[in-house]
Amino acid sequence: MFFPVSIDINEKKCLVIGGGNLAYRKIQTLLHYGAKIDVITEEIREEKIKDADILNLFIETYENQPLDKYFLVIAATDNKDLNDKIVKICNEKNILVNNITSKENMSMRFGAIYEDDDYQVLVTTHGKHCSTSKSLRDEIGDFIKDKQ
């Protein structure tokens, strides 16, 4: 069971392993909150990653590179076994980890975020029904706007 919490990732070193669309979306979210990001991918499938404001882009296969310097790791490859291996390493080292190929095998989840000057609301659905969480986020945003 996941405990909902907000954390400060401003200036924290984060690693995204993967180079596709989901990796790019995670990168954009992390950048929005001030994270310093490295990316490891054997292939860039989302060209926008090249233009993202990341620290380092390593075009290589992840093969047990040290993770100790990272606050948060995103396992965003399309290889479930590799993502599970990354999660295991992170869990052993108490590094927060998100896994795009699992609903449970991770230590942190992303969710749908509504944010304005006064409120920040996260909606998550235990890794299920992502479109529902986005709809709920939008409804909550509309509710808050109506009350202001």
Side-chain angles (χ1 to χ4, degrees):
M1 179 178 290
F2 286 79
F3 174 67
V5 63
S6 295
I7 58 173
D8 179 4
I9 63 167
N10 189 50
E11 299 291 320
K12 300 279 193 304
K13 291 237 2 182
C14 299
L15 175 65
V16 176
I17 303 171
N21 183 50
L22 285 175
Y24 177 71
R25 289 185 4 217
K26 304 287 184 176
I27 290 166
Q28 289 303 108
T29 300
L30 294 171
L31 286 172
H32 177 75
Y33 292 99
K36 301 298 183 191
I37 303 169
D38 289 342
V39 176
I40 297 175
T41 183
E42 57 187 47
E43 175 186 8
I44 295 177
R45 286 179 279 143
E46 175 55 69
E47 290 295 318
K48 294 178 199 172
I49 289 174
K50 292 178 184 175
D51 298 323
D53 189 20
I54 60 176
L55 293 176
N56 298 292
L57 175 60
F58 303 100
I59 308 297
E60 60 191 38
T61 302
Y62 176 78
E63 294 179 5
N64 298 323
Q65 288 93 328
L67 302 176
D68 300 276
K69 65 182 176 182
Y70 296 104
F71 178 77
L72 167 65
V73 173
I74 309 295
T77 77
D78 57 4
N79 180 331
K80 183 182 181 328
D81 292 336
L82 176 57
N83 289 347
D84 289 344
K85 175 183 171 183
I86 294 164
V87 169
K88 184 177 186 303
I89 293 167
C90 288
N91 285 340
E92 289 170 356
K93 296 181 178 294
N94 289 318
I95 299 168
L96 291 172
V97 62
N98 176 258
N99 178 357
I100 70 161
T101 55
S102 176
K103 292 178 175 34
E104 298 296 327
N105 188 23
M106 65 189 84
S107 61
M108 64 84 57
R109 287 191 178 121
F110 282 67
I113 301 167
Y114 169 80
E115 189 170 36
D116 67 15
D117 291 339
D118 296 317
Y119 299 98
Q120 184 183 56
V121 180
L122 171 72
V123 179
T124 183
T125 57
H126 299 294
K128 304 171 190 170
H129 315 292
C130 291
S131 61
T132 301
S133 63
K134 291 175 185 172
S135 295
L136 285 171
R137 174 206 53 206
D138 295 342
E139 287 181 37
I140 290 167
D142 290 343
F143 174 82
I144 290 170
K145 289 174 193 168
D146 288 345
K147 297 295 180 185
Q148 293 177 333

